[in-house]
Amino acid sequence: MATPHFDSRIHSGDEGVVVELGSRWRAGDATLLLDGIRRALAGDVPLTLSHCGAGGGSLLQAASGEWPGLRCREVVRGRHASFRPRAPRWTQYRLPAPAPGREPVGVAISGGLGGIGLVLAARLAAAGHRLWLLDRRPAAGLSAAARRRLASVVTRTRVVVDQADVTAAVPTPPFPITWLVHAAGELDLTPVRELAGDDLERLAEGKAAALRTLVRALAPAGLRSVVAFGSTESRRPHRLFGGYALANELLRREAARLRHDHPGTRVVTAEWSLWSAVGMGAAAAAMAGRAGFAVVPPDWGAQVTERLLDERQPVPEEIALGGPQPTPERPLAAVAGIGGTSLALDDASVRRLVELCRPSRTAPHRPVGRPDRVVRAQVAGHTVYTWGSGCRDWNTGTPWRAA
């Protein structure tokens, strides 16, 4: 059955449901994918998402966490990619040391009046960079604490604040912009089963559209480096994070297109875990941190962002960031479906870690190997595996082989 969404369409029958999307995400695709999920559930048939780069697999992952019986796969035309988690492959990347001699530049921060935006502003202001803070909210509407943080930044450097919706248009920059941090976003924790098509349409493309508008407006005037704030949720979302995960998956894909379209501008996608104490997920980060997850300390996150912005330093185009390099005091923890390490001081800590990793309420937990204070965890299919190892053990083997 053809639909009016350009090259997007849905087919359904007794053998399954197929949702076909094109090379990039289009208006209407979110509604179409939600329809495909619901048809597959109603008919108890498999669902296949087929596309040439549009994306959408993260929403299937979130839906499969809510409905363990939902049978899904993602096919990228030209190559095949099942969304079911594979054995994790941690890649350690040591950030380059700060390069001396950087002259102050003009920096734009979208979401600049948010908790994370103001932390970044304070760090960059201390280095003398001029700041252009873009946000949908007016500065007059900030809390007293946020107004004090903004006032402190203003005493250190030139700061211009503009109220703007950058998904639609970008105001004229007050000075030349060399660096851009795209930290704007929206966190809406709604189960996939309760998502309305219009709400998901708005959530899905918001971050990617804003990044596209910003880079296209600023690149011709000398933009050299961009750090787009994504999320590890786009790789293997937890329950309730379907819309948020999809938005960050589409952001990652848009960043890849912008690298191709603007070769003179470096675009790095930084996929963070939760930031502690600031940002939209601060409350959830407090709980995750107590369970051993690697949350991002604000000062460390701002320091890393500054290093990623320095275009003189080689860094990966996409990088997942969960906190500082692991130590017994500050370990790297598991991200569901990816794997990792946590410092577990007692059995209760392990239980909390397992509960946070659990892809569904009925998913089993299978310990592998002897217990240890340092616990590695992996979500494979619908089972959480944990096993002990030394704090410097970065073995990437699957847990049943590591036993």
Side-chain angles (χ1 to χ4, degrees):
M1 181 179 67
T3 66
H5 302 303
F6 301 95
D7 53 353
S8 303
R9 65 188 67 201
I10 186 169
H11 312 270
S12 58
D14 294 339
E15 296 183 356
V17 177
V18 177
V19 175
E20 288 187 78
L21 306 182
S23 59
R24 54 187 314 143
W25 194 264
R26 301 179 185 274
D29 284 353
T31 302
L32 201 67
L33 194 50
L34 273 180
D35 186 21
I37 292 170
R38 287 164 181 161
R39 289 192 195 189
L41 287 167
D44 191 22
V45 293
L47 169 63
T48 298
L49 167 63
S50 174
H51 63 86
C52 298
S58 56
L59 188 67
L60 297 189
Q61 295 177 51
S64 71
E66 293 184 29
W67 295 286
L70 180 63
R71 292 166 287 163
C72 304
R73 66 172 181 160
E74 179 183 11
V75 176
V76 181
R77 293 196 282 276
R79 63 185 180 88
H80 175 269
S82 170
F83 83 88
R84 293 294 182 187
R86 298 178 181 177
R89 287 291 181 266
W90 283 109
T91 300
Q92 283 195 87
Y93 176 77
R94 188 172 296 279
L95 289 167
R102 160 58 70 185
E103 293 294 326
V105 299
V107 184
I109 304 177
S110 67
L113 297 183
I116 292 176
L118 289 173
V119 168
L120 297 174
R123 173 83 188 192
L124 295 168
H129 300 296
R130 293 166 292 172
L131 301 176
W132 186 29
L133 306 183
L134 298 159
D135 208 296
R136 287 184 296 182
R137 78 198 89 183
L142 294 176
S143 67
R147 287 199 301 271
R148 287 194 295 270
R149 288 195 294 270
L150 179 58
S152 175
V153 172
V154 169
T155 64
R156 296 182 174 186
T157 189
R158 182 184 176 189
V159 179
V160 176
V161 179
D162 272 329
Q163 183 182 1
D165 179 1
V166 293
T167 60
V170 179
T172 302
F175 39 76
I177 299 298
T178 304
W179 291 351
L180 165 66
V181 181
H182 181 36
E186 184 175 349
L187 181 62
D188 185 343
L189 301 182
T190 302
V192 176
R193 69 177 71 240
E194 297 176 13
L195 279 172
D198 289 346
D199 292 337
L200 186 59
E201 292 284 351
R202 178 182 55 81
L203 284 170
E205 248 266 301
K207 291 185 77 169
L211 178 65
R212 181 168 58 248
T213 305
L214 284 162
V215 172
R216 287 179 176 175
L218 300 175
L223 181 67
R224 298 289 302 278
S225 181
V226 179
V227 174
F229 273 34
S231 171
T232 55
E233 290 293 325
S234 72
R235 303 285 181 173
R236 181 61 171 89
H238 293 77
R239 295 189 302 273
L240 307 181
F241 281 84
Y244 183 72
L246 179 59
N248 284 285
E249 178 194 353
L250 299 184
L251 175 76
R252 184 192 334 126
R253 292 179 179 277
E254 186 60 39
R257 295 187 188 98
L258 291 170
R259 286 184 207 107
H260 178 269
D261 296 343
H262 300 276
T265 300
R266 186 174 75 176
V267 183
V268 175
T269 306
E271 297 193 307
W272 303 92
S273 62
L274 294 168
W275 284 53
S276 63
V278 297
M280 299 178 292
M287 180 181 69
R290 287 194 296 271
F293 267 65
V295 294
V296 177
D299 290 344
W300 183 85
Q303 175 190 3
V304 169
T305 303
E306 186 179 24
R307 293 194 195 183
L308 294 178
L309 281 168
D310 190 344
E311 76 278 8
R312 300 172 299 171
Q313 303 277 55
V315 294
E317 294 176 342
E318 297 175 357
I319 184 169
L321 294 156
Q325 290 294 323
T327 66
E329 293 75 30
R330 199 189 293 274
L332 188 64
V335 177
I338 300 176
T341 305
S342 178
L343 187 71
L345 299 178
D346 49 40
D347 290 342
S349 297
V350 176
R351 286 194 296 271
R352 286 195 296 269
L353 176 66
V354 169
E355 193 57 37
L356 284 169
C357 290
R358 201 184 295 275
S360 69
R361 297 184 185 213
T362 59
H365 166 222
R366 296 183 182 172
V368 179
R370 64 180 187 176
D372 199 303
R373 290 179 71 247
V374 178
V375 177
R376 288 179 57 82
Q378 177 187 333
V379 179
H382 293 283
T383 303
V384 181
Y385 296 89
T386 57
W387 69 101
S389 65
C391 66
R392 295 185 179 276
D393 177 14
W394 284 84
N395 174 27
T396 58
T398 52
W400 41 90
R401 291 177 185 165

